[in-house]
Amino acid sequence: MNVIIASTSTVYGGKYLDYLTEELKSLFANIEELLFIPYARPNGMSYDEYTQLANNYFKFLDIKVNGIHTFDEPKKAIANAKAVFVGGGNTFVLVKTLYEYNLWSVLKQKIDNGMPYLGTSAGSNITGQTMRTTNDMPIVPVPSYKTMGIFPFNINPHYLDTTPELLKHMGETRDTRLKEYLHFNHTPVVALREGSYIKARKNQYLLKGSYNARVYFEINNVQEIAPETDLKPLFENS
Amino acid sequence: MNVIIASTSTVYGGKYLDYLTEELKSLFANIEELLFIPYARPNGMSYDEYTQLANNYFKFLDIKVNGIHTFDEPKKAIANAKAVFVGGGNTFVLVKTLYEYNLWSVLKQKIDNGMPYLGTSAGSNITGQTMRTTNDMPIVPVPSYKTMGIFPFNINPHYLDTTPELLKHMGETRDTRLKEYLHFNHTPVVALREGSYIKARKNQYLLKGSYNARVYFEINNVQEIAPETDLKPLFENS
């Protein structure tokens, strides 16, 4: 496993993927072509537009970005890929499309075999056990909430702390929503604040970035975990 | 139709339902017993606890609150009800349970026949055409996103404006999420800010409260609608 999953593609005030550049140089060292999966369609943008956005960034790393939609057989495109990046957007739209093309097992197998993988936001959500902790609206139906399951937990990207300003407008807080999830589900959740990411190898899930992750083990066991912590041992008995 | 659907049960700094008291005295005039549907379970609280919360408020209006879960046959409980209140919580949990007990048509019929109905948050979401514009996490599966459809639009409760503070942490804004919805769906959305509600009769859907509603007719036709506007004519040709 050679994976980076990030809460977001873009930190506030920064440019697309810019804060991850040093990590991506390392993740994609010796990679010349990257397979991009634009299915999540942020802002409803087209696959071509979204692929162009990714390409605009990666050309500075001398990496060519190929959108999976330009291949006749998406499953084969993944099977032949040297590296994959799944961008953010709407998780329901992404998951629906991955089911339509039956891409889950080939993607998981490639990641298990060490192919470099980058996921941001929805692209991080799908590495968890299920998409039940997405923040996105159910704008399209999905056949199942089950996702790739390369980690023994779920991801909640864009984790929002409960501040007085937010309380004025939020309805329920993110913390409440995640605890509601735990009333009905037992898979723990790693909630990542903006700018946080997990750098994962087979034997280590390293938390990176400037902020703690908030890990929901159970409804009465929620812990703040510091950057540079290996998350993997925390889930070994769960 | 004799309906109030509210963005929230509780405005910031206020008590449960307090800001709606004058409206509820009128909506539930001459009502002695209210059927409460606690299926959405905010904070995962039990049906009994949630019903007690509603009861604590309504006893000051001399209205007895009966939880639907205390009846052997929930469908018959609705058929016999003089008034219904569906509280907020998780929309997926609420919708799943309404499907399990097959309660949609009896509830819609009663509302069509003029039974007073109060919905807050998730209880407002289910009056729209679908639940595709809920803000809640998909913590349980639902057989369908289709909801009661007493209005020709969907509801987005707890509408959040895009402020610089929120932009730092939000991933995508609510506005972006609703526009993504409109890329895949044609049913318009009435987004209600906290403290806003719709007071609906057969021939008038009156917007109440201090704030504009933000109405998403189409992706390029989003309008701010002032309080005291009748929303119904806005949808007559849609």
Side-chain angles (χ1 to χ4, degrees):
Chain A
M1 193 193 288
N2 188 14
V3 167
I4 286 183
I5 58 168
S7 175
T8 190
S9 62
T10 314
V11 292
Y12 183 72
K15 288 182 189 165
Y16 189 67
L17 293 175
D18 212 33
Y19 77 104
L20 288 171
T21 293
E22 287 310 307
E23 287 291 4
L24 298 183
K25 281 181 183 170
S26 160
L27 178 69
F28 296 133
N30 307 314
I31 297 292
E32 294 174 356
E33 298 200 17
L34 179 63
L35 184 69
F36 180 59
I37 300 185
Y39 294 152
R41 298 188 59 185
N43 291 300
M45 71 171 77
S46 73
Y47 293 160
D48 278 343
E49 287 170 323
Y50 198 13
T51 303
Q52 189 56 49
L53 179 69
N55 196 47
N56 287 346
Y57 171 81
F58 278 103
K59 68 186 177 194
F60 290 104
L61 302 187
D62 283 325
I63 295 172
K64 180 165 183 281
V65 172
N66 301 310
I68 193 170
H69 62 292
T70 64
F71 292 84
D72 285 340
E73 297 181 52
K75 198 184 281 188
K76 196 180 281 182
I78 292 176
N80 293 333
K82 297 282 185 275
V84 166
F85 169 29
V86 179
N90 182 286
T91 307
F92 288 84
V93 177
L94 172 61
V95 165
K96 174 180 191 279
T97 313
L98 289 170
Y99 273 105
E100 272 170 9
Y101 292 118
N102 193 20
L103 300 178
W104 292 106
S105 61
V106 62
L107 186 55
K108 184 174 192 306
Q109 195 177 8
K110 292 283 288 194
I111 293 172
D112 284 345
N113 290 339
M115 178 195 70
Y117 176 90
L118 170 64
T120 59
S121 192
S124 297
N125 262 324
I126 62 165
T127 63
Q129 295 285 317
T130 74
M131 58 167 286
R132 292 185 182 208
T133 50
T134 178
N135 311 307
D136 297 333
M137 289 181 183
I139 63 178
V140 298
V142 292
S144 165
Y145 297 147
K146 193 167 183 298
T147 48
M148 220 177 345
I150 62 173
F151 294 108
F153 44 78
N154 276 6
I155 304 295
N156 178 246
H158 311 296
Y159 182 78
L160 264 177
D161 287 291
T162 303
T163 64
E165 181 57 28
L166 286 173
L167 273 179
K168 291 183 190 171
H169 305 284
M170 283 292 287
E172 295 173 312
T173 65
R174 185 69 58 84
D175 184 65
T176 297
R177 292 174 192 279
L178 288 168
K179 286 176 178 165
E180 290 179 355
Y181 159 86
L182 288 168
H183 266 278
F184 294 91
N185 299 275
H186 295 294
T187 302
V189 185
V190 175
L192 295 174
R193 294 178 172 91
E194 296 303 67
S196 287
Y197 57 98
I198 298 171
K199 183 175 179 172
R201 303 290 177 274
K202 192 177 175 191
N203 293 311
Q204 190 186 52
Y205 306 153
L206 202 60
L207 177 66
K208 303 290 286 184
S210 308
Y211 300 99
N212 289 344
R214 192 165 167 85
V215 181
Y216 291 77
F217 292 98
E218 295 175 50
I219 207 158
N220 293 315
N221 181 8
V222 181
Q223 296 178 28
E224 291 283 332
I225 305 295
E228 304 299 329
T229 303
D230 179 7
L231 302 177
K232 192 158 196 237
L234 307 180
F235 297 95
E236 306 247 286
N237 298 316
S238 71
Chain B
M1 194 194 286
N2 187 14
V3 167
I4 286 182
I5 57 168
S7 175
T8 190
S9 62
T10 314
V11 293
Y12 183 71
K15 289 182 187 163
Y16 189 67
L17 293 176
D18 212 32
Y19 76 105
L20 288 171
T21 294
E22 289 309 308
E23 288 290 4
L24 298 183
K25 280 181 181 168
S26 160
L27 178 69
F28 296 134
N30 306 313
I31 297 292
E32 294 174 356
E33 297 199 18
L34 180 64
L35 184 69
F36 180 59
I37 300 186
Y39 293 152
R41 298 187 59 186
N43 290 300
M45 71 171 75
S46 72
Y47 294 159
D48 278 343
E49 288 170 322
Y50 198 14
T51 303
Q52 189 56 50
L53 179 69
N55 197 47
N56 288 346
Y57 170 81
F58 279 101
K59 68 186 176 195
F60 289 105
L61 303 187
D62 282 327
I63 295 172
K64 182 167 182 279
V65 172
N66 301 310
I68 192 170
H69 62 291
T70 63
F71 293 83
D72 286 338
E73 297 180 53
K75 198 184 283 189
K76 197 179 281 182
I78 293 176
N80 293 332
K82 297 282 185 276
V84 167
F85 169 28
V86 179
N90 182 286
T91 308
F92 289 84
V93 177
L94 172 61
V95 165
K96 174 179 192 277
T97 313
L98 289 170
Y99 273 106
E100 272 171 9
Y101 293 118
N102 192 21
L103 301 178
W104 292 106
S105 61
V106 61
L107 186 54
K108 183 173 191 308
Q109 195 176 8
K110 293 282 288 192
I111 293 173
D112 285 344
N113 290 338
M115 179 196 71
Y117 176 89
L118 170 66
T120 59
S121 191
S124 297
N125 262 324
I126 62 164
T127 64
Q129 294 286 318
T130 74
M131 58 167 288
R132 293 185 181 206
T133 50
T134 177
N135 310 308
D136 297 333
M137 289 180 183
I139 63 178
V140 297
V142 292
S144 166
Y145 296 148
K146 194 168 182 299
T147 48
M148 218 176 347
I150 62 173
F151 294 109
F153 44 76
N154 276 6
I155 304 294
N156 179 246
H158 311 295
Y159 182 79
L160 264 177
D161 287 290
T162 303
T163 64
E165 181 57 28
L166 286 172
L167 273 179
K168 292 182 191 170
H169 304 286
M170 282 293 283
E172 295 173 313
T173 65
R174 185 70 58 82
D175 184 65
T176 297
R177 291 174 192 280
L178 288 170
K179 287 176 178 165
E180 290 179 355
Y181 159 86
L182 288 169
H183 266 278
F184 294 91
N185 300 275
H186 295 294
T187 303
V189 185
V190 175
L192 295 173
R193 295 178 171 92
E194 296 303 68
S196 288
Y197 58 98
I198 297 171
K199 183 175 179 172
R201 302 291 176 273
K202 192 178 176 192
N203 293 310
Q204 190 186 51
Y205 306 155
L206 203 60
L207 177 66
K208 303 290 286 183
S210 308
Y211 300 99
N212 289 345
R214 193 166 166 85
V215 181
Y216 291 77
F217 292 97
E218 295 174 51
I219 209 160
N220 292 315
N221 181 9
V222 181
Q223 296 178 27
E224 291 283 332
I225 305 294
E228 304 301 328
T229 302
D230 177 8
L231 301 177
K232 191 157 197 239
L234 307 180
F235 298 95
E236 306 248 285
N237 299 315
S238 71

